[in-house]
Short mmCIF file of all heavy atoms in Angstrom, two decimals:
data_model
loop_
_atom_site.label_atom_id
_atom_site.label_comp_id
_atom_site.label_asym_id
_atom_site.label_seq_id
_atom_site.Cartn_x
_atom_site.Cartn_y
_atom_site.Cartn_z
N LYS F 19 117.60 117.89 83.75
CA LYS F 19 117.36 119.06 82.89
C LYS F 19 116.89 118.66 81.51
O LYS F 19 117.14 117.55 81.04
CB LYS F 19 118.61 119.95 82.82
CG LYS F 19 119.82 119.37 82.17
CD LYS F 19 120.95 120.41 82.20
CE LYS F 19 122.26 119.77 81.72
NZ LYS F 19 123.39 120.67 81.87
N LEU F 29 114.03 115.96 95.38
CA LEU F 29 114.19 114.67 96.04
C LEU F 29 113.29 113.70 95.27
O LEU F 29 112.07 113.87 95.25
CB LEU F 29 113.75 114.80 97.50
CG LEU F 29 114.38 113.84 98.51
CD1 LEU F 29 115.88 114.09 98.61
CD2 LEU F 29 113.74 114.01 99.86
N ALA F 59 101.34 98.24 98.55
CA ALA F 59 101.01 99.64 98.24
C ALA F 59 102.26 100.38 97.81
O ALA F 59 103.28 100.33 98.47
CB ALA F 59 100.41 100.31 99.47
N VAL F 111 100.98 92.44 84.29
CA VAL F 111 100.66 91.78 83.02
C VAL F 111 101.89 90.99 82.57
O VAL F 111 103.03 91.37 82.89
CB VAL F 111 100.23 92.80 81.94
CG1 VAL F 111 98.91 93.46 82.33
CG2 VAL F 111 101.30 93.84 81.68
N GLN F 166 103.25 81.66 81.34
CA GLN F 166 102.34 82.41 82.20
C GLN F 166 101.20 82.93 81.33
O GLN F 166 101.43 83.46 80.24
CB GLN F 166 103.09 83.60 82.83
CG GLN F 166 102.20 84.59 83.54
CD GLN F 166 102.90 85.91 83.86
OE1 GLN F 166 104.06 86.09 83.52
NE2 GLN F 166 102.17 86.83 84.47
N GLY F 241 95.66 100.78 68.46
CA GLY F 241 94.81 100.58 67.30
C GLY F 241 94.51 101.87 66.54
O GLY F 241 94.01 101.83 65.42
N TYR F 304 123.70 104.76 96.00
CA TYR F 304 123.82 104.63 94.55
C TYR F 304 123.89 106.01 93.90
O TYR F 304 123.47 107.02 94.49
CB TYR F 304 122.65 103.84 93.98
CG TYR F 304 121.31 104.50 94.18
CD1 TYR F 304 120.82 105.44 93.28
CD2 TYR F 304 120.53 104.20 95.29
CE1 TYR F 304 119.60 106.06 93.47
CE2 TYR F 304 119.31 104.82 95.50
CZ TYR F 304 118.85 105.75 94.59
OH TYR F 304 117.65 106.37 94.79
N ASP F 340 121.44 111.35 89.80
CA ASP F 340 120.92 111.25 91.16
C ASP F 340 121.97 110.62 92.07
O ASP F 340 122.89 109.96 91.60
CB ASP F 340 119.60 110.44 91.21
CG ASP F 340 119.75 109.01 90.74
OD1 ASP F 340 120.84 108.42 90.89
OD2 ASP F 340 118.77 108.46 90.23
#
Side-chain angles (χ1 to χ4, degrees):
Chain F
K19 66 180 172 186
L29 207 64
V111 294
Q166 169 194 1
Y304 63 86
D340 62 29

